[in-house]
Amino acid sequence: MFIGIDDTDSPNKYCTTYIATLLVEKFKEMGYNVEMPKLIRMNPTVKYKTRGNGGVSIRIIEDKKLSDNEKREIKDIVIEYVENYADFEYETTNPGIVFLDEENYAKNKDLLNSYYKKVLYDIVSIDYVESILKKINAEYIKYKKGYGIIGALGAISSNPPYTYELLAYRKRENWGKERFVDEKSVFEMDEKTFPFTFNNVDYDEGKSIIAPHTKCPVLYGIRGIDKDILIEAMKMIKSEEIDRYMIFKTNQGTDVHLRYMKIKDIYPNTGVIVYGKVVKEPKNLPGGHVVFRVSDGTGEIDCIAYEPTKKFRNIVRKLIVGDLVGVYGTVREKPFEINIEKLKIIKLAKKYTKDKKCECGGTLKAKGKKGGYKCRKCGKVIKYDEIKLIEVERDITEGFYEVPPSARRHLSKPILLF
Ligand code: ATP
């Protein structure tokens, strides 16, 4: 039996993963065989998300088929926990629960796979998800506007690739108070567990990024590609006392929100990988953002590196017209441009400068397009188009570049994992 839950928390309290953790513990206590819960991130451009647009799902493995009474009991427990740990007062918190039987899951695998893609790439309406839920015979509960059913089904419908995240929770009396997680121990853990954990620290900023800054019950999260190493990593971290922890299977760090698209087909609020040539040189915008334009022959689109991407912008600034690049990112509605997550510099264009040295040793001075260049010393004139060009070395190299961990989306695949 599959259970999906989403949209229970607010910036003020709770966390949907906490409900999942309590439920997994409860069902295990009751003697059920429970699969590792899933924390699934969906389209990061969704506007009404609280933080990282994540939903959770739990699967109770039916070694023997669940009876109707058992199913009812399980559903009642889920409802009770969601009602106890959802911030109903917060305006944009609209919880949703989805229950799906094993048979209906198995029968509708294709539909679920395509729903997963849709919830990653597109903005899904409540009517659309309800039509799918009816088709697959799922039971669902909407609280308030009930938008949570979109992500609840998204979490159930997910499929590989996966990574893992260990979430450690705080003692209840500490919720809302300042967190204590020893930074030094996080750096040490990162070094010792490299390359099996990722996004623990931002070396440029010199800070740990495993602890959230919100009032939620999470103390910290350690992400990794190996689930066993996560417990070892947790043991290395010095922090305030942990209340409990849970390892989730997740689509974080996988780039599943991105796919290759031709520029002419791109639409707003989706994730893309575009290959093209730079057609407009990088320009610095107020606020520290940097924008350039690419063309792939089917159209042109602006690509932007925002201020929080810090040093990454220095790579972007060095691009010139003619460079062949791959741009990974999500497309905003207004302005319609790619918010860059990664940049692949495939082929650098040759860069030239005009040789303004005359044969006589003097300097050639520009006299406009008509006048060409005239030597200040010997008076020799060279036509505008005939001035010698000398190649200058580019100060970037071809390769794959990414924004720093503190500016990275949950879903972005770190280059380390390629
Ligand atoms: P947290 O990270 O703390 O779980 P959140 O960032 O996941 O919070 P939610 O409070 O879950 O934010 O709000 C996101 C809302 O968007 C949910 O109601 C979810 O069902 C919905 N949603 C998820 N994916 C899509 C999508 N592709 N289109 C439309 N709505 C979506």
Side-chain angles (χ1 to χ4, degrees):
M1 178 183 187
F2 293 82
I3 302 155
I5 308 169
D6 197 7
D7 210 344
T8 62
D9 52 20
S10 75
N12 305 329
K13 54 182 172 184
Y14 304 140
C15 178
T16 310
T17 68
Y18 186 67
I19 301 181
T21 297
L22 296 181
L23 285 171
V24 169
E25 287 175 3
K26 174 80 183 167
F27 294 141
K28 282 188 175 166
E29 260 169 43
M30 290 167 73
Y32 289 117
N33 186 1
V34 189
E35 215 175 60
M36 182 182 286
K38 290 197 282 188
L39 162 58
I40 300 302
R41 305 286 176 178
M42 285 154 274
N43 188 340
T45 70
V46 161
K47 286 190 187 66
Y48 40 88
K49 65 184 179 184
T50 314
R51 286 181 287 268
N53 196 14
V56 301
S57 78
I58 296 169
R59 180 186 194 178
I60 297 184
I61 297 167
E62 299 187 31
D63 302 318
K64 100 175 168 10
K65 214 170 161 349
L66 292 171
S67 69
D68 286 348
N69 274 348
E70 284 172 320
K71 282 187 191 168
R72 192 64 267 155
E73 189 187 21
I74 290 166
K75 287 174 187 171
D76 287 344
I77 292 169
V78 174
I79 292 166
E80 181 197 325
Y81 280 49
V82 168
E83 291 184 357
N84 280 341
Y85 291 99
D87 188 358
F88 291 101
E89 269 117 70
Y90 195 76
E91 202 197 326
T92 56
T93 295
N94 295 292
I97 309 174
V98 171
F99 299 109
L100 185 64
D101 286 340
E102 289 288 336
E103 310 85 83
N104 291 324
Y105 178 84
K107 256 194 261 168
N108 293 290
K109 265 282 175 65
D110 290 347
L111 195 53
L112 288 165
N113 284 348
S114 64
Y115 180 78
Y116 181 47
K117 293 267 178 262
K118 189 153 179 75
V119 86
L120 284 167
Y121 299 154
D122 296 333
I123 302 297
V124 176
S125 72
I126 197 96
D127 290 345
Y128 180 79
V129 68
E130 286 195 75
S131 74
I132 300 284
L133 288 164
K134 283 179 186 135
K135 255 191 216 158
I136 63 175
N137 266 315
E139 192 177 319
Y140 61 96
I141 302 166
K142 298 192 292 176
Y143 294 93
K144 296 165 64 187
K145 291 184 179 140
Y147 294 146
I149 57 172
I150 302 169
L153 184 63
I156 292 176
S157 69
S158 68
N159 49 51
Y162 292 120
T163 62
Y164 301 91
E165 179 162 6
L166 180 148
L167 287 169
Y169 297 95
R170 318 182 70 187
K171 292 266 169 209
R172 202 174 175 134
E173 60 270 24
N174 289 330
W175 292 6
K177 292 187 191 154
E178 206 186 320
R179 285 176 177 77
F180 170 65
V181 179
D182 177 53
E183 287 243 329
K184 200 166 152 259
S185 69
V186 179
F187 275 82
E188 281 167 12
M189 176 278 282
D190 187 66
E191 262 177 43
K192 286 190 184 134
T193 59
F194 178 88
F196 302 104
T197 64
F198 57 92
N199 290 359
N200 298 314
V201 292
D202 189 319
Y203 281 97
D204 287 346
E205 303 265 303
K207 63 178 188 196
S208 145
I209 52 167
I210 65 168
H213 297 288
T214 49
K215 293 177 185 160
C216 72
V218 174
L219 179 60
Y220 59 73
I222 312 171
R223 296 129 204 259
I225 50 165
D226 179 305
K227 59 182 184 311
D228 299 323
I229 212 158
L230 293 179
I231 305 209
E232 294 307 311
M234 176 177 68
K235 288 183 193 153
M236 293 176 207
I237 296 191
K238 298 193 184 90
S239 70
E240 64 185 56
E241 200 185 337
I242 286 169
D243 191 41
R244 43 168 49 88
Y245 72 89
M246 182 63 65
I247 298 180
F248 287 83
K249 214 182 228 187
T250 157
N251 59 355
Q252 292 169 167
T254 63
D255 270 358
V256 284
H257 63 309
L258 308 178
R259 82 283 204 205
Y260 168 70
M261 276 184 104
K262 289 271 181 213
I263 293 175
K264 71 172 171 40
D265 299 325
I266 296 178
Y267 52 88
N269 298 316
T270 197
V272 298
I273 300 170
V274 163
Y275 288 96
K277 275 199 171 156
V278 176
V279 287
K280 249 193 203 171
E281 286 206 357
K283 193 169 98 183
N284 290 308
L285 300 181
H289 321 305
V290 185
V291 68
F292 65 94
R293 182 171 289 183
V294 289
S295 163
D296 67 353
T298 74
E300 294 185 3
I301 192 162
D302 281 341
C303 307
I304 187 160
Y306 282 100
E307 190 280 331
T309 66
K310 304 289 177 196
K311 279 188 184 166
F312 175 76
R313 293 170 303 163
N314 293 337
I315 304 292
V316 172
R317 285 189 181 108
K318 289 175 182 166
L319 293 172
I320 61 167
V321 168
D323 285 343
L324 181 61
V325 293
V327 183
Y328 291 56
T330 49
V331 181
R332 292 174 36 136
E333 190 159 3
K334 256 190 198 157
F336 186 70
E337 58 195 13
I338 304 176
N339 176 358
I340 313 169
E341 294 171 17
K342 278 189 285 286
L343 176 69
K344 196 181 260 179
I345 303 181
I346 300 161
K347 185 121 188 68
L348 287 169
K350 287 193 188 305
K351 190 174 176 178
Y352 297 99
T353 179
K354 288 170 181 161
D355 186 1
K356 301 243 178 95
K357 260 211 142 63
C358 181
E359 286 157 357
C360 75
T363 307
L364 296 164
K365 191 160 172 16
K367 297 277 174 199
K369 269 210 151 164
K370 265 193 182 159
Y373 297 86
K374 186 172 180 189
C375 177
R376 282 180 164 171
K377 203 168 155 197
C378 70
K380 182 176 174 177
V381 173
I382 295 178
K383 280 190 189 156
Y384 186 82
D385 299 330
E386 285 173 10
I387 185 135
K388 224 167 80 192
L389 296 173
I390 30 180
E391 191 178 339
V392 281
E393 214 181 304
R394 297 290 303 272
D395 53 358
I396 40 170
T397 49
E398 289 159 4
F400 213 178
Y401 299 89
E402 64 191 335
V403 303
S406 51
R408 209 169 281 162
R409 290 199 189 281
H410 295 286
L411 278 164
S412 288
K413 182 167 176 169
I415 290 172
L416 166 76
L417 300 186
F418 275 82

